[in-house]
Amino acid sequence: SAVISQKPSRDICQRGTSLTIQCQVDSQVTMMFWYRQQPGQSLTLIATANQGSEATYESGFVIDKFPISRPNLTFSTLTVSNMSPEDSSIYLCSVGATRTEQFFGPGTRLTVL
Amino acid sequence: KQEVTQIPAALSVPEGENLVLNCSFTDSAIYNLQWFRQDPGKGLTSLLLIQSSQREQTSGRLNASLDKSSGRSTLYIAASQPGDSATYLCAVGSSNTGKLIFGQGTTLQVKP
């Protein structure tokens, strides 16, 4: 299994600002994903972070709002831009490969005032 | 479009009871199915992964089964303990992209 860390673990932000969340894995991984978990809800995939190229976004999520970087096989960032209270959620990164177990980071709890 | 449903949404049982959590999915063309545990305010812990060619997987007191043709999976927890209290999520891998589609979860409370 992979050990995944996320920074920050939580943050409280003002509307209109941006927050960048980091995801670090202890080994090289093929696939990295970013999920959002809104209060009381299940997880929804935001995008697949592709190493060396633009992320692949799911329906309803756009690059201008959630820019993602993945400079190498162990690290990725997700930025939540121009935040509003509706962006208050837990943001989780996960890693895996086709047909294998996926492992999740501890999550970043974001509150937007 | 794949949809995943978990029943019941919440469950409360006395310690020691055996219990079953249910997960159903609409499209049987899946790659695998994974069960996770989530403690309040925390990330997800992987419990069991079942490949599409498998019927069940076991880990300790946990047993997960998969019936692709009927679009169902169950997670069986034997001799439940208060430490099992958490939200249990099932997630379906429906393509070779590795993406998971999650159910809404079952919140379990085991009373001492």
Side-chain angles (χ1 to χ4, degrees):
Chain A
S1 65
V3 178
I4 306 164
S5 60
Q6 286 186 233
K7 290 181 182 179
S9 58
R10 60 176 60 226
D11 207 342
I12 301 173
C13 301
Q14 297 297 320
R15 71 171 66 207
T17 62
S18 297
L19 176 72
T20 295
I21 302 167
Q22 298 179 4
C23 178
Q24 179 74 55
V25 190
D26 68 342
S27 59
Q28 293 186 345
V29 292
T30 306
M31 296 177 172
M32 294 181 77
F33 306 91
W34 287 98
Y35 288 83
R36 179 176 74 180
Q37 187 175 29
Q38 294 177 299
Q41 302 295 314
S42 191
L43 280 76
T44 301
L45 181 64
I46 297 172
T48 303
N50 300 309
Q51 193 263 328
S53 64
E54 192 171 286
T56 304
Y57 289 85
E58 297 300 304
S59 175
F61 297 96
V62 295
I63 187 172
D64 289 347
K65 176 67 176 177
F66 297 102
I68 289 170
S69 77
R70 189 177 175 192
N72 56 53
L73 294 177
T74 63
F75 185 79
S76 177
T77 66
L78 167 74
T79 299
V80 186
S81 303
N82 188 25
M83 289 184 286
S84 67
E86 292 70 35
D87 294 319
S88 297
S89 298
I90 299 174
Y91 293 85
L92 302 106
C93 71
S94 72
V95 302
T98 305
R99 298 180 178 271
T100 68
E101 239 175 324
Q102 268 196 37
F103 298 97
F104 281 76
T108 296
R109 181 181 292 273
L110 170 62
T111 302
V112 183
L113 302 178
Chain B
K1 178 185 174 185
Q2 179 74 269
E3 293 183 0
V4 181
T5 304
Q6 291 185 247
I7 295 173
L11 183 62
S12 181
V13 301
E15 182 177 4
E17 198 164 289
N18 302 324
L19 56 100
V20 174
L21 307 181
N22 297 292
C23 173
S24 61
F25 45 95
T26 55
D27 185 349
S28 61
I30 66 170
Y31 273 55
N32 51 40
L33 186 146
Q34 197 167 348
W35 283 92
F36 294 91
R37 168 186 173 138
Q38 185 176 33
D39 293 285
K42 304 291 186 182
L44 275 65
T45 300
S46 177
L47 298 174
L48 290 164
L49 169 72
I50 309 178
Q51 301 292 354
S52 60
S53 59
Q54 297 175 319
R55 298 283 295 185
E56 65 177 338
Q57 283 286 333
T58 299
S59 176
R61 293 183 294 109
L62 304 179
N63 176 274
S65 67
L66 174 64
D67 185 343
K68 258 190 10 172
S69 61
S70 66
R72 295 179 185 274
S73 176
T74 60
L75 179 66
Y76 175 82
I77 302 177
S80 58
Q81 304 170 358
D84 295 330
S85 298
T87 296
Y88 291 81
L89 295 157
C90 76
V92 171
S94 288
S95 71
N96 63 358
T97 62
K99 297 189 291 187
L100 294 178
I101 298 170
F102 281 83
Q104 293 297 312
T106 294
T107 298
L108 171 65
Q109 182 184 34
V110 181
K111 298 178 180 178

